[in-house]
Amino acid sequence: MSRIFNISFILFLLVFSSCKNKEKAVVNKHNPMSDALIFKNKFHEANSEKMIGHYDKAIALFNECIVLKPNSAASYFGLSELYLKQKNQDKGLTFAQKSYDLNKTNKWYLIHLADLYHAVGNYHQSSNLYEVLFADFNETNIEYRYKLVEALIYSNQNAKAIQQLNKIELETGKTPELSLTKHDLFNALGKKDLANQEIESLLKEYPTDESIRLQLLDYYLQTNQVEKATNVAQDILKINPNSGDAFLGLADIEIRSNHIDKSFDYLEKGFQDQTVDIKRKMSLLNGLTTYALDKKDPNSILINTRLAALYQNMELNESDNANFLMLYGTYLNMNDKTIEAREKFAKSCQLNPSDYRAWDGLLNVDYSANLFDSLFIDGQKAIELYPTQPMVYLLTGIGGYESKHYEAAEELLILGQDFVVNDKELSSEFEYHLGKTYWKSGQKDEGEKYFSKALVTNPNSAKIYYGYSVLLFEDKKYDLALIQCQKAVEIEPKNALYLDHYALVLMKQKQYVEAEKTLEKAVVIDYTNALILEHYGDALFFNGKIDNAVEMWKESQKQGNTSTVLLKKIRDKKYYDA
């Protein structure tokens, strides 16, 4: 019995041992297959999450992939792309470098890394990688060679950059962009002869090509190479005697030398060429208008005189161009030709009613020219197009009460005020003009309430104090008018308009000495204001300075004051009340 037991026990041990070994063998064979399958599934899941924008989840999955397969270049590449999407450039670069280090046979890893080094400003490393791309992968995509050139230039490897540009040129042929870039690089290397040869070679390649010479002209003007620009412009005119762009280039050269008349002679020739881009013409007009209206510029009067003819000539071909008419209207308005300006703005609105700038110009011209009936009518048209624009309601409301449509003005100003958002200054404007509406309609107590409201909203508004003072002055309440205007002057002591009004109030109170001093300040600030000069003459007259008064009245006349009362003052050397 015991023998049978021993044999059974031994057989049991053998079977158990055999099963255990088989189990080990199964485990050893199963684990590698299982890990690969898990990696594959997680990798695909990570890419799926990345595609639907679940970046944090995708990052976690790619990290799990790396745990399963530490040398997975694709997983590191995936992490790099994800961190870049999260705008983490440092981690994006770190993982891009890791993916390339693990697999240098994948050109997309290399290109990705080269682009990243370029993005962070490591142009030298970027150029090294692009050189590997062309050396080891026989890359044929010319766009990558352009990127290599850019990296070489930024890393001051100018000689290498020229070599690469030569290779590009073999594919594309000579172009102005390539030749000008090589020209600059040769100059940077101190090889001026080669730089000049590059341009000469380009011109020789295209002996009658006007467009290439125009690009050269622009380049020389931008780099202030005036002599070369002049030569190229003249060369263009030999090819095309009517080239407007060449004339405009010469105009640019002449105005830099302060030869205003000669510059405008070229401008007029250039503007006659209808092939010149209208945007370029308008850009020039806009820039010249700025100079023409700058009274500090010694050439402003001459520029303004010549500019008027340029606008008139251009209108012959652009009379239906809404943008040009808007620009012309602005120029005319700034020259105090408000009626003509209004015509241009009105036509611009008609041609392109969807452009708010034209309506803004029209309404402001109506306002500045005191064309309040027109302002009220034009403003209502604008409101139909811009029903939530508060400035349109404000200007239309002003036109309303000034043309005695008080109820309509009140309604417009109340409606417009509701569209003002987080703008205390504009809110106070609405309150101020509501005050004027009530005041002018005879409800002066209500008007005063709104003036007070406006000053609570914007206590530092000199305009409100001044406007209130003018109304009090018109009602001959000179004491109160003086108080309000004094506050305006305290806030803006260098405002000639406020000083002029303050002096008028002082003269009504027979404070002539103080009025003279105040007007003297105003004249210094704005010597070309004809009314201020006339009022200064009045103050001088009241202070017994008759000859000085007449001198100022004559100066007012020179500045465009055609008042019959002024003519009587000059003729009789005597003050007359207007």
Side-chain angles (χ1 to χ4, degrees):
M1 182 73 177
S2 85
R3 188 179 173 198
I4 293 170
F5 174 78
N6 288 336
I7 291 170
S8 298
F9 181 70
I10 289 167
L11 287 171
F12 170 77
L13 289 174
L14 288 170
V15 172
F16 178 78
S17 176
S18 174
C19 289
K20 201 168 184 182
N21 288 336
K22 282 183 180 178
E23 187 180 312
K24 279 185 180 177
V26 170
V27 171
N28 289 340
K29 287 180 182 177
H30 174 74
N31 274 351
M33 292 175 62
S34 176
D35 287 350
L37 185 61
I38 293 170
F39 172 84
K40 182 179 178 181
N41 290 336
K42 284 192 179 295
F43 186 81
H44 285 302
E45 188 182 354
N47 276 307
S48 297
E49 295 295 341
K50 181 177 76 170
M51 288 176 68
I52 61 176
H54 297 168
Y55 300 143
D56 289 332
K57 196 170 182 179
I59 287 170
L61 287 165
F62 274 127
N63 278 319
E64 288 182 37
C65 289
I66 290 168
V67 171
L68 291 166
K69 193 174 179 181
N71 292 328
S72 170
S75 298
Y76 284 109
F77 183 77
L79 283 172
S80 174
E81 289 187 314
L82 284 163
Y83 279 117
L84 289 175
K85 287 183 181 295
Q86 292 186 330
K87 304 191 184 304
N88 189 332
Q89 207 168 44
D90 290 340
K91 283 190 174 182
L93 180 58
T94 299
F95 288 115
Q97 183 69 60
K98 185 70 174 175
S99 67
Y100 175 65
D101 289 342
L102 287 169
N103 185 0
K104 293 190 175 182
T105 63
N106 187 316
K107 81 170 186 177
W108 303 113
Y109 295 170
L110 184 151
I111 292 169
H112 179 65
L113 183 61
D115 285 344
L116 277 177
Y117 276 121
H118 191 286
V120 299
N122 191 339
Y123 304 116
H124 203 283
Q125 186 63 21
S126 178
S127 66
N128 288 342
L129 289 165
Y130 274 117
E131 284 177 334
V132 171
L133 176 67
F134 286 100
D136 294 356
F137 292 88
N138 296 319
E139 182 59 50
T140 58
N141 188 331
I142 198 170
E143 294 301 320
Y144 295 131
R145 201 173 291 280
Y146 276 112
K147 288 185 177 182
L148 170 57
V149 169
E150 189 175 13
L152 289 167
I153 291 172
Y154 285 151
S155 57
N156 294 316
Q157 301 180 73
N158 296 333
K160 280 188 174 184
I162 291 170
Q163 291 173 5
Q164 295 299 325
L165 287 167
N166 287 334
K167 290 181 180 180
I168 292 172
E169 200 171 80
L170 289 173
E171 294 187 51
T172 65
K174 278 192 175 295
T175 67
E177 293 79 13
L178 291 175
S179 292
L180 288 170
T181 304
K182 285 200 285 181
H183 170 272
D184 288 348
L185 292 171
F186 278 127
N187 272 332
L189 291 167
K191 299 180 179 180
K192 296 191 180 298
D193 289 341
L194 289 175
N196 291 331
Q197 285 175 25
E198 191 61 43
I199 300 301
E200 289 168 8
S201 175
L202 174 68
L203 296 176
K204 189 176 181 181
E205 184 84 8
Y206 302 98
T208 60
D209 194 309
E210 182 182 349
S211 64
I212 285 176
R213 283 160 177 77
L214 286 172
Q215 288 185 60
L216 280 173
L217 176 59
D218 286 340
Y219 167 77
Y220 287 137
L221 288 171
Q222 288 171 18
T223 54
N224 203 31
Q225 299 182 62
V226 175
E227 186 178 350
K228 288 183 178 180
T230 303
N231 292 336
V232 171
Q234 291 171 347
D235 193 19
I236 293 168
L237 290 172
K238 289 176 185 176
I239 298 169
N240 177 10
N242 298 315
S243 173
D245 286 301
F247 285 125
L248 295 181
L250 290 168
D252 189 341
I253 293 164
E254 294 300 337
I255 207 163
R256 294 183 191 198
S257 303
N258 224 24
H259 301 152
I260 306 302
D261 274 322
K262 198 169 183 180
S263 175
F264 270 91
D265 290 342
Y266 283 129
L267 282 169
E268 288 175 2
K269 290 179 180 179
F271 272 49
Q272 288 172 9
D273 184 357
Q274 297 307 303
T275 65
V276 176
D277 188 356
I278 183 63
K279 290 181 180 178
R280 184 178 185 190
K281 291 180 180 178
M282 288 180 60
S283 177
L284 286 168
L285 285 173
N286 192 35
L288 289 166
T289 299
T290 302
Y291 287 114
L293 301 173
D294 182 3
K295 294 176 182 178
K296 294 179 182 178
D297 190 320
N299 295 314
S300 63
I301 295 174
L302 179 56
I303 291 173
N304 204 11
T305 302
R306 296 296 304 265
L307 193 55
L310 209 59
Y311 271 109
Q312 289 166 7
N313 291 334
M314 189 166 168
E315 189 180 17
L316 296 175
N317 296 302
E318 301 297 333
S319 59
D320 289 329
N321 184 323
N323 287 329
F324 166 73
L325 291 170
M326 222 180 346
L327 182 61
Y328 195 6
T330 301
Y331 167 76
L332 290 167
N333 190 37
M334 289 180 174
N335 276 285
D336 297 324
K337 296 181 178 180
T338 50
I339 303 302
E340 293 175 55
R342 189 184 181 282
E343 290 175 4
K344 309 307 176 192
F345 282 120
K347 190 170 182 181
S348 182
C349 290
Q350 183 183 356
L351 291 166
N352 187 11
S354 63
D355 192 334
Y356 175 72
R357 296 172 301 166
W359 288 101
D360 184 60
L362 177 62
L363 298 182
N364 277 289
V365 165
D366 285 341
Y367 175 71
S368 61
N370 295 330
L371 301 171
F372 297 117
D373 287 322
S374 296
L375 179 59
F376 184 54
I377 294 167
D378 293 335
Q380 290 178 83
K381 293 176 184 175
I383 285 171
E384 291 179 10
L385 294 164
Y386 305 98
T388 60
Q389 176 55 258
M391 280 303 300
V392 177
Y393 284 92
L394 181 64
L395 289 167
T396 311
I398 293 170
Y401 71 68
E402 290 291 359
S403 57
K404 299 183 179 180
H405 297 94
Y406 300 119
E407 289 185 11
E410 178 187 6
E411 183 180 352
L412 286 164
L413 291 169
I414 290 171
L415 281 171
Q417 193 173 22
D418 289 339
F419 294 114
V420 179
V421 180
N422 297 326
D423 189 337
K424 287 187 176 182
E425 187 174 347
L426 187 54
S427 291
S428 71
E429 280 280 306
F430 274 94
E431 290 166 342
Y432 164 64
H433 286 290
L434 274 166
K436 289 188 76 172
T437 301
Y438 292 123
W439 183 283
K440 286 177 175 287
S441 69
Q443 302 176 63
K444 294 187 177 180
D445 290 342
E446 193 68 16
E448 286 180 357
K449 286 180 184 178
Y450 272 91
F451 291 140
S452 298
K453 279 185 179 182
L455 289 169
V456 169
T457 305
N458 187 12
N460 293 318
S461 175
K463 178 182 177 180
I464 295 172
Y465 284 115
Y466 164 74
Y468 190 16
S469 176
V470 170
L471 293 172
L472 292 165
F473 182 84
E474 290 171 353
D475 278 6
K476 299 183 179 181
K477 296 178 179 179
Y478 301 127
D479 290 341
L480 294 174
L482 187 66
I483 293 169
Q484 296 299 321
C485 194
Q486 191 169 22
K487 289 177 180 176
V489 170
E490 286 171 0
I491 295 169
E492 292 187 29
K494 293 185 178 180
N495 187 305
L497 178 65
Y498 300 165
L499 289 168
D500 179 55
H501 178 67
Y502 185 48
L504 290 180
V505 181
L506 288 169
M507 283 195 282
K508 287 295 182 182
Q509 295 188 317
K510 303 188 186 306
Q511 298 184 48
Y512 302 122
V513 174
E514 190 61 32
E516 181 185 333
K517 290 178 182 177
T518 302
L519 282 162
E520 188 176 350
K521 293 177 185 177
V523 167
V524 170
I525 295 166
D526 188 0
Y527 189 77
T528 61
N529 189 307
L531 283 177
I532 293 175
L533 289 168
E534 182 182 357
H535 296 157
Y536 187 31
D538 296 344
L540 290 166
F541 178 86
F542 285 122
N543 284 314
K545 302 173 183 179
I546 309 300
D547 291 339
N548 291 337
V550 174
E551 186 181 340
M552 281 301 110
W553 290 334
K554 287 180 178 179
E555 193 61 37
S556 174
Q557 187 180 37
K558 286 180 186 177
Q559 294 299 329
N561 190 339
T562 58
S563 162
T564 54
V565 174
L566 177 66
L567 293 175
K568 285 179 67 179
K569 290 177 182 178
I570 295 169
R571 184 193 65 201
D572 299 342
K573 296 184 179 182
K574 182 180 177 182
Y575 173 80
Y576 290 99
D577 199 345

